[in-house]
Amino acid sequence: MFHPAHIAIDRSELRRRLAELWERTGFAPVAKLLEQRAPNGDPLVDEHAFSDWLSTVLMDCFKQTGDSAVFALLYDLNKSSFAHAIQSQLRRAFHPVDAQDVLQEVFLNIYRYPHRFLADKADAFRGWGHRIVRNTLLKFLKGQARLAQFRDIDDEQVQP
């Protein structure tokens, strides 16, 4: 019942970590996930819906509690997807930006701004997270473009 994106964490490990988070935080939607239910109680019958609700509930739990173990699981579940999106964009952009630096900045932004997250639908985290990926990557690319301009100016001044 778990989405293929969560292959890095097997079923039993994911259940164990969710149960631990439920005990640590008392955040009711986490308990619902353990029962294969959405926060409103509806059964989660397909893997995609479970995957979306999983990250959305974890982000909402982090927003409410600030618990580092919640953030760690959110990171473990989403780093591959975000890294893939970053790599795809970088291949198209042909820029020498370190994808790992971008990924680190993405999760730093998620950590810094949980109050901006709204857990109103299953795919809320997926959409919000990928917007952060896009915006962070744009910031990196703009920074690289500015650096390239400065290098060009320096090269002109050095030449006779």
Side-chain angles (χ1 to χ4, degrees):
M1 193 61 117
F2 296 87
H3 193 270
H6 300 127
I7 289 174
I9 300 175
D10 68 27
R11 253 179 232 250
S12 60
E13 176 68 8
L14 182 56
R15 284 194 62 75
R16 185 193 65 71
R17 287 177 74 177
L18 284 173
E20 178 185 301
L21 294 179
W22 161 238
E23 289 175 19
R24 286 173 63 110
T25 66
F27 193 68
V30 172
K32 298 256 191 220
L33 285 175
L34 284 165
E35 301 168 353
Q36 299 291 121
R37 296 192 173 281
N40 65 4
D42 290 346
L44 296 172
V45 293
D46 75 29
E47 294 174 9
H48 190 71
F50 180 83
S51 176
D52 276 347
W53 272 119
L54 176 60
S55 290
T56 294
V57 165
L58 289 172
M59 185 63 212
D60 197 30
C61 183
F62 178 70
K63 175 182 174 180
Q64 302 300 324
T65 67
D67 190 286
S68 60
V70 174
F71 190 81
L73 182 55
L74 189 66
Y75 173 83
D76 289 343
L77 293 173
N78 290 282
K79 67 183 173 188
S80 300
S81 170
F82 290 169
H84 179 74
I86 292 164
Q87 289 288 359
S88 296
Q89 292 297 320
L90 285 176
R91 273 194 289 277
R92 282 185 283 227
F94 301 110
H95 280 279
V97 172
D98 185 346
Q100 289 303 311
D101 287 347
V102 177
L103 184 63
Q104 184 176 4
E105 186 74 17
V106 164
F107 278 100
L108 186 59
N109 287 331
I110 290 169
Y111 187 85
R112 278 187 191 146
Y113 305 110
H115 60 280
R116 294 184 180 175
F117 178 71
L118 182 60
D120 58 345
K121 55 189 177 189
D123 65 350
F125 181 77
R126 184 166 34 102
W128 187 71
H130 281 278
R131 276 193 309 277
I132 291 173
V133 166
R134 186 191 69 231
N135 292 341
T136 304
L137 188 54
L138 285 172
K139 183 181 100 176
F140 268 78
L141 294 175
K142 285 178 185 175
Q144 286 293 331
R146 269 188 245 117
L147 242 112
Q149 287 175 341
F150 288 133
R151 279 190 219 120
D152 290 345
I153 291 170
D154 288 344
D155 289 345
E156 289 173 12
Q157 290 175 354
V158 172
Q159 294 175 358

CSV table of all heavy atoms in Angstrom, one decimal, residues 22 47-48 83 98 104 125 140 146:
chain,number,residue,atom,x,y,z
A,22,TRP,N,3.7,8.9,16.2
A,22,TRP,CA,2.5,9.1,16.9
A,22,TRP,C,2.6,9.1,18.4
A,22,TRP,O,2.1,10.0,19.1
A,22,TRP,CB,1.6,7.9,16.4
A,22,TRP,CG,0.4,7.7,17.3
A,22,TRP,CD1,0.1,6.5,18.0
A,22,TRP,CD2,-0.7,8.6,17.7
A,22,TRP,NE1,-1.0,6.6,18.7
A,22,TRP,CE2,-1.5,7.9,18.6
A,22,TRP,CE3,-0.9,9.9,17.4
A,22,TRP,CZ2,-2.7,8.5,19.1
A,22,TRP,CZ3,-2.1,10.5,17.9
A,22,TRP,CH2,-2.9,9.8,18.8
A,47,GLU,N,-2.0,3.5,-3.6
A,47,GLU,CA,-0.7,3.9,-3.1
A,47,GLU,C,-0.4,5.4,-3.3
A,47,GLU,O,0.3,6.0,-2.5
A,47,GLU,CB,0.4,3.1,-3.9
A,47,GLU,CG,0.3,1.6,-3.5
A,47,GLU,CD,1.2,0.8,-4.4
A,47,GLU,OE1,2.1,1.3,-5.1
A,47,GLU,OE2,1.1,-0.5,-4.3
A,48,HIS,N,-0.9,5.9,-4.4
A,48,HIS,CA,-0.6,7.3,-4.7
A,48,HIS,C,-1.2,8.3,-3.7
A,48,HIS,O,-0.6,9.2,-3.2
A,48,HIS,CB,-1.1,7.7,-6.1
A,48,HIS,CG,-0.7,9.0,-6.6
A,48,HIS,ND1,0.7,9.3,-6.9
A,48,HIS,CD2,-1.3,10.2,-6.8
A,48,HIS,CE1,0.7,10.6,-7.3
A,48,HIS,NE2,-0.4,11.1,-7.2
A,83,ALA,N,15.5,15.6,-5.5
A,83,ALA,CA,16.8,15.5,-6.2
A,83,ALA,C,16.6,15.2,-7.7
A,83,ALA,O,17.2,15.8,-8.6
A,83,ALA,CB,17.6,14.4,-5.6
A,98,ASP,N,25.6,22.8,-8.3
A,98,ASP,CA,25.7,21.5,-7.5
A,98,ASP,C,24.2,21.2,-7.0
A,98,ASP,O,23.7,21.9,-6.2
A,98,ASP,CB,26.6,21.7,-6.4
A,98,ASP,CG,26.8,20.4,-5.6
A,98,ASP,OD1,26.0,19.4,-5.8
A,98,ASP,OD2,27.8,20.3,-4.8
A,104,GLN,N,19.9,20.7,-0.4
A,104,GLN,CA,20.1,21.1,0.9
A,104,GLN,C,19.3,22.4,1.2
A,104,GLN,O,18.7,22.6,2.2
A,104,GLN,CB,21.6,21.3,1.2
A,104,GLN,CG,21.9,21.6,2.7
A,104,GLN,CD,23.4,21.7,2.9
A,104,GLN,OE1,24.2,21.6,2.0
A,104,GLN,NE2,23.7,21.9,4.2
A,125,PHE,N,1.6,18.9,0.1
A,125,PHE,CA,3.1,18.9,0.3
A,125,PHE,C,3.8,18.8,-1.1
A,125,PHE,O,4.8,19.4,-1.3
A,125,PHE,CB,3.6,17.9,1.3
A,125,PHE,CG,5.1,18.0,1.4
A,125,PHE,CD1,5.6,19.0,2.2
A,125,PHE,CD2,5.9,17.1,0.8
A,125,PHE,CE1,7.0,19.1,2.4
A,125,PHE,CE2,7.3,17.2,0.9
A,125,PHE,CZ,7.8,18.2,1.7
A,140,PHE,N,19.4,29.9,-7.3
A,140,PHE,CA,20.8,29.4,-7.6
A,140,PHE,C,21.3,29.8,-9.0
A,140,PHE,O,22.4,30.2,-9.2
A,140,PHE,CB,20.9,27.9,-7.4
A,140,PHE,CG,21.3,27.5,-6.0
A,140,PHE,CD1,20.4,27.5,-5.0
A,140,PHE,CD2,22.6,27.0,-5.8
A,140,PHE,CE1,20.7,27.1,-3.7
A,140,PHE,CE2,23.0,26.6,-4.5
A,140,PHE,CZ,22.0,26.6,-3.5
A,146,ARG,N,24.9,35.9,-12.2
A,146,ARG,CA,25.5,37.1,-11.7
A,146,ARG,C,27.0,36.9,-11.6
A,146,ARG,O,27.8,37.7,-11.9
A,146,ARG,CB,24.9,37.5,-10.4
A,146,ARG,CG,23.8,38.5,-10.5
A,146,ARG,CD,23.4,39.0,-9.1
A,146,ARG,NE,22.0,38.5,-8.9
A,146,ARG,CZ,21.6,37.7,-8.0
A,146,ARG,NH1,22.5,37.3,-7.1
A,146,ARG,NH2,20.4,37.3,-7.9
